[in-house]
Amino acid sequence: RRHPLTSCVVCEQPDGRLTWQPVPGWRAVMDWREDVDGTAGIAWEHLSLREEPGFRLLVSSPAGGDTEVLVQVHHAVLDGLGTFAVFNEILIHYARGRGQAVELPELKPELFEHRNRFGLTWADKVRMVPLQIVGLLVSAQLQGRRAATLVPHRVRSDAEQAPGGWPAVASRPFPEAEYDDIRAAAKRLGAGTNDLFIRDLFAAIGVWRKREGIDAPGYWVRMRIPVSL
């Protein structure tokens, strides 16, 4: 009820538009598995928003092992921050069930109407033009160099196992006080928090290139960023 997209499917209208449609009475099914030890033995299945809401829960509870709650969320339903927010509320409900007096965070449903509008004024859009031009120029340069892929690209099926060396998911939620400091620094610089993180990423890459002696102007560094939504 508090997060309606977690119980919606996508339907195509006669004019071709895709719209969210709630599924009356839908509740997330918790798949309790005693034959699976964590993420190692799970074959994740494809999530189709046309067929089911994009929110699944699985509990891995092997005999004599630790119990883990695993979540599969479609990125169109919840982004990273939204997933943390929803699970924070799940933990609050769990604490309440154990008799602890914990309040749920306040929601502002009126903001939902502005989803995907970004809140940009005409002045903001004008100020973004130089940045967009730079992005297009960089894209043109990259296309002009026609960099060849290191390995042939092949679309893998959803049922196929990940290749060896596939990295495990890692995340680091910032303590509230630390995140407030980051947000204040971004505001002071007229940037967003992601801008600061990306800046630090490329600064770290620059230090690494100098240390490894691969910082000459004609050198390339290729980064493989596996993404799974």
Side-chain angles (χ1 to χ4, degrees):
R1 291 191 297 269
R2 286 170 60 88
H3 303 282
L5 286 190
T6 59
S7 60
C8 288
V9 294
V10 171
C11 296
E12 187 171 354
Q13 301 302 310
D15 60 1
R17 291 183 301 113
L18 298 177
T19 59
W20 294 101
Q21 297 292 334
V23 179
W26 182 86
R27 298 181 67 181
V29 176
M30 185 172 286
D31 184 9
W32 192 283
R33 301 285 298 275
E34 297 183 356
D35 59 331
V36 172
D37 187 2
T39 58
I42 297 176
W44 295 104
E45 297 179 359
H46 178 67
L47 260 178
S48 173
L49 290 178
R50 295 175 183 265
E51 300 173 3
E52 63 175 308
F55 190 87
R56 289 177 181 161
L57 289 172
L58 186 144
V59 177
S60 163
S61 185
D66 295 329
T67 297
E68 295 183 52
V69 179
L70 309 171
V71 61
Q72 184 179 7
V73 180
H74 198 290
H75 197 64
V77 174
L78 291 172
D79 60 9
L81 187 60
T83 302
F84 277 120
V86 169
F87 262 80
N88 179 54
E89 294 187 16
I90 291 175
L91 293 175
I92 289 175
H93 283 295
Y94 178 78
R96 283 180 162 185
R98 297 180 62 84
Q100 299 181 34
V102 187
E103 293 296 325
L104 285 167
E106 180 187 0
L107 286 183
K108 296 180 179 179
E110 65 275 9
L111 296 179
F112 195 72
E113 299 176 2
H114 301 288
R115 190 172 187 259
N116 290 338
R117 295 185 184 176
F118 306 111
L120 295 175
T121 64
W122 277 106
D124 294 329
K125 293 176 181 178
V126 170
R127 282 194 291 268
M128 288 178 63
V129 169
L131 293 175
Q132 299 297 323
I133 292 174
V134 170
L136 290 173
L137 289 174
V138 171
S139 298
Q141 290 175 352
L142 183 62
Q143 291 297 323
R145 293 174 181 176
R146 298 188 179 278
T149 57
L150 298 178
V151 293
H153 177 68
R154 180 172 65 86
V155 178
R156 299 177 183 272
S157 70
D158 293 320
E160 191 172 344
Q161 292 293 323
W166 193 266
V169 174
S171 61
R172 179 185 181 276
F174 289 97
E176 188 171 349
E178 188 175 347
Y179 188 71
D180 286 343
D181 290 341
I182 296 172
R183 195 157 39 192
K187 186 176 181 180
R188 190 167 58 249
L189 295 170
T193 53
N194 280 347
D195 295 324
L196 297 191
F197 293 140
I198 293 169
R199 178 202 64 181
D200 288 351
L201 168 65
F202 279 95
I205 292 172
V207 171
W208 173 77
R209 291 183 67 182
K210 287 184 179 179
R211 188 178 68 226
E212 298 297 320
I214 52 174
D215 57 336
Y219 285 10
W220 280 57
V221 174
R222 298 190 182 196
M223 294 179 288
R224 297 187 67 183
I225 306 175
V227 175
S228 173
L229 301 184

